[in-house]
Amino acid sequence: MSITPAAYLGSGVILMVAAIFLVVLRIFPKDEGVQLHNEWEETRTSINKSNTKKNFIIGILICFGAGYLITGRLLFAVIALIGVIPIAKALNQSIVNKKKSLMEDQYTQVLNIIVTSLQGASSNVYKVLEETVASLKSPAKEVFVEILHRSRTGTKHYEAIGVVAEETQWEDLKQLEMAFRLYDTTGSNLQQVCTHLLKNAYDRKGNKKYVEATTTQIRITGIILSVIPFFLIIFMRFAAPEFVEPLFYTVPGGIVFGLITIMVLAGNKYIKNMMDSLSA
């Protein structure tokens, strides 16, 4: 009994829907805060391994489903599994970038709270940190809870900020570390320094949004142009199968299809590198 084109299409669509559903769950995970303390490195390694395994499975579904949907042949679906590792890495990076972006957005809120606390005639650094913790939301709240915890156990406040900045990879906190270090060592005006950092943070945030808006349009255009050839192949495979059959059942056709795929992927890689250089 031969398998009908509708069965091929249905199988491919089911695999792609399952993959997209899992991708959405991975890119928008439930917020679990930022775990710190002494076991931070071990916990982060464990979480990364768990994410890698899940994203590896998602990559298999995406590659196999796309290959099967486009070609209708198991051979090409298996060959498409070459893309599993790059897709898994991209999904891992998207989760990391989402958390970093959230913390970067909260940096201006952190500085606002510190400046407001200092304007209230509060010169006690620990009181300023306490007020900051009380006003923040996750994940920044957990970060400053840990900073306050370490400050109360004998670590200088600016050293605590620096260490936590390294552990959480929150680069903006290094500026705050510098401000508190200057205040502690030279007696500089902490309010003025934080006000200057706040103004600079707003400027960078505005520039970042402009760049993101511009690069997002280019990325979307690239995705659309990349999908069109494969969408046409899928359409022609069911509308006029004899027209595209040589692509998947002859050696020259397979070579042509491979070259098309490589050129599309190379174009996407070039666009990604260009957008990353603009966003840097």
Side-chain angles (χ1 to χ4, degrees):
M1 181 178 179
S2 60
I3 302 177
T4 63
Y8 280 125
L9 179 62
S11 301
V13 169
I14 289 172
L15 288 171
M16 288 300 295
V17 169
I20 291 171
F21 176 74
L22 291 173
V23 167
V24 171
L25 289 180
R26 299 304 302 142
I27 294 179
F28 300 102
K30 182 179 179 181
D31 186 10
E32 297 177 352
V34 179
Q35 302 181 41
L36 298 169
H37 305 294
N38 295 331
E39 67 273 11
W40 164 247
E41 287 295 336
E42 181 180 345
T43 303
R44 183 171 58 183
T45 301
S46 176
I47 292 173
N48 287 341
K49 286 182 179 179
S50 176
N51 286 338
T52 300
K53 290 178 182 177
K54 292 174 182 177
N55 291 332
F56 189 79
I57 295 173
I58 293 172
I60 291 174
L61 289 174
I62 291 175
C63 293
F64 189 86
Y68 193 69
L69 179 63
I70 294 169
T71 67
R73 295 197 63 191
L74 288 176
L75 174 62
F76 284 95
V78 172
I79 293 174
L81 293 176
I82 295 173
V84 168
I85 294 177
I87 288 177
K89 287 182 178 179
L91 291 174
N92 278 335
Q93 191 60 42
S94 68
I95 295 172
V96 173
N97 290 342
K98 181 177 180 293
K99 181 166 284 187
K100 283 185 177 180
S101 178
L102 181 58
M103 289 196 293
E104 287 173 1
D105 288 341
Q106 288 184 302
Y107 181 58
T108 52
Q109 183 185 1
V110 169
L111 291 174
N112 261 317
I113 295 169
I114 292 175
V115 169
T116 303
S117 299
L118 293 170
Q119 285 175 344
S122 175
S123 58
N124 188 311
V125 172
Y126 300 106
K127 183 172 177 58
V128 169
L129 290 176
E130 286 175 351
E131 291 179 2
T132 303
V133 168
S135 303
L136 289 174
K137 294 182 179 179
S138 180
K141 186 181 184 70
E142 286 81 2
V143 172
F144 276 85
V145 165
E146 180 63 17
I147 291 172
L148 188 60
H149 168 75
R150 296 190 184 195
S151 298
R152 286 173 170 171
T153 54
T155 306
K156 291 184 179 294
H157 43 271
Y158 58 83
E159 291 177 349
I161 294 172
V163 171
V164 172
E166 289 290 340
E167 292 180 354
T168 58
Q169 298 179 359
W170 191 354
E171 296 296 325
D172 290 330
L173 284 186
K174 292 181 180 179
Q175 297 179 350
L176 203 59
E177 175 197 4
M178 176 195 68
F180 277 83
R181 185 185 294 273
L182 286 172
Y183 170 75
D184 189 73
T185 57
T186 67
S188 62
N189 190 318
L190 184 59
Q191 180 183 337
Q192 287 185 357
V193 174
C194 288
T195 300
H196 175 73
L197 290 178
L198 180 60
K199 182 179 181 300
N200 182 59
Y202 275 125
D203 290 340
R204 287 190 293 113
K205 193 173 182 179
N207 293 335
K208 181 182 175 183
K209 285 186 177 180
Y210 174 77
V211 172
E212 285 180 349
T214 304
T215 56
T216 298
Q217 292 177 358
I218 298 175
R219 291 181 200 274
I220 293 174
T221 301
I223 292 172
I224 293 173
L225 292 176
S226 301
V227 169
I228 286 176
F230 300 109
F231 176 79
L232 290 175
I233 290 174
I234 294 173
F235 176 76
M236 294 303 296
R237 193 163 69 82
F238 293 99
E242 68 281 355
F243 181 77
V244 295
E245 198 171 85
L247 278 176
F248 311 124
Y249 291 91
T250 65
V251 173
I255 293 174
V256 170
F257 180 71
L259 288 175
I260 293 172
T261 305
I262 291 172
M263 291 174 68
V264 170
L265 293 176
N268 276 275
K269 180 66 175 176
Y270 177 77
I271 291 174
K272 181 181 182 300
N273 290 341
M274 184 172 61
M275 294 302 98
D276 288 345
S277 64
L278 289 174
S279 301

